């Protein structure tokens, strides 16, 4: 299961030393519901290697604004605390796996 990431814990998690994958989503977003099970699967598969989390855009304005998130789902990929890649819109699991493997 993916971690719940918030404005309050984002900095701590992104700078924790592991690569991080962050899914920006909302309850009312249909494509987000398609991506959500993939993100949860990846969280299990990469446990201990990559921090994988979800951030509700309706409840976390600071980080959403910081990265200019305008479309959801948007998945950001961080390495060493820095944004290195992103996926905007729904995608196949293989696309996420390729981007995660590039972080490792």
């Amino acid at each position: 299961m993916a971690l719940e990431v918030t404005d309050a814990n984002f900095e701590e998690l992104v700078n924790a030393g592991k690569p991080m994958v962050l899914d920006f989503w909302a309850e009312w977003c249909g494509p987000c519901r398609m991506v959500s099970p993939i993100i949860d699967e990846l969280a299990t598969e990469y446990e201990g290697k990559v921090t994988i989390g979800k951030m509700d855009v309706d409840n976390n304005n600071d980080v959403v604004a910081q990265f200019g998130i305008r479309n959801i789902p948007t998945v950001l990929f961080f390495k060493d605390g820095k944004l290195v890649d992103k996926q905007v819109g729904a995608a196949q699991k293989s696309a996420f796996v390729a981007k995660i493997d590039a972080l490792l």
Side-chain angles (χ1 to χ4, degrees):
M1 195 74 165
L3 291 170
E4 182 181 345
V5 181
T6 64
D7 285 342
N9 68 4
F10 170 76
E11 286 296 329
E12 175 188 338
L13 291 171
V14 80
N15 292 307
K18 283 192 257 184
M20 183 164 112
V21 176
L22 185 55
D23 173 26
F24 291 84
W25 70 283
E27 192 69 42
W28 46 264
C29 167
C32 297
R33 288 195 293 274
M34 292 172 14
V35 169
S36 185
I38 295 170
I39 297 296
D40 286 335
E41 280 178 37
L42 294 170
T44 301
E45 291 170 20
Y46 287 91
E47 188 172 353
K49 296 183 209 156
V50 180
T51 300
I52 299 183
K54 297 180 183 181
M55 179 173 281
D56 186 336
V57 298
D58 290 331
N59 298 324
N60 297 285
N61 297 327
D62 295 346
V63 175
V64 170
Q66 180 181 345
F67 293 101
I69 304 299
R70 289 187 174 79
N71 300 307
I72 53 172
T74 291
V75 179
L76 300 183
F77 299 81
F78 297 89
K79 185 168 186 168
D80 300 322
K82 300 195 180 358
L83 178 63
V84 295
D85 203 352
K86 71 177 168 180
Q87 171 68 47
V88 179
Q92 299 291 323
K93 182 177 178 181
S94 58
F96 293 110
V97 168
K99 289 177 183 282
I100 293 170
D101 286 345
L103 297 174
L104 298 173

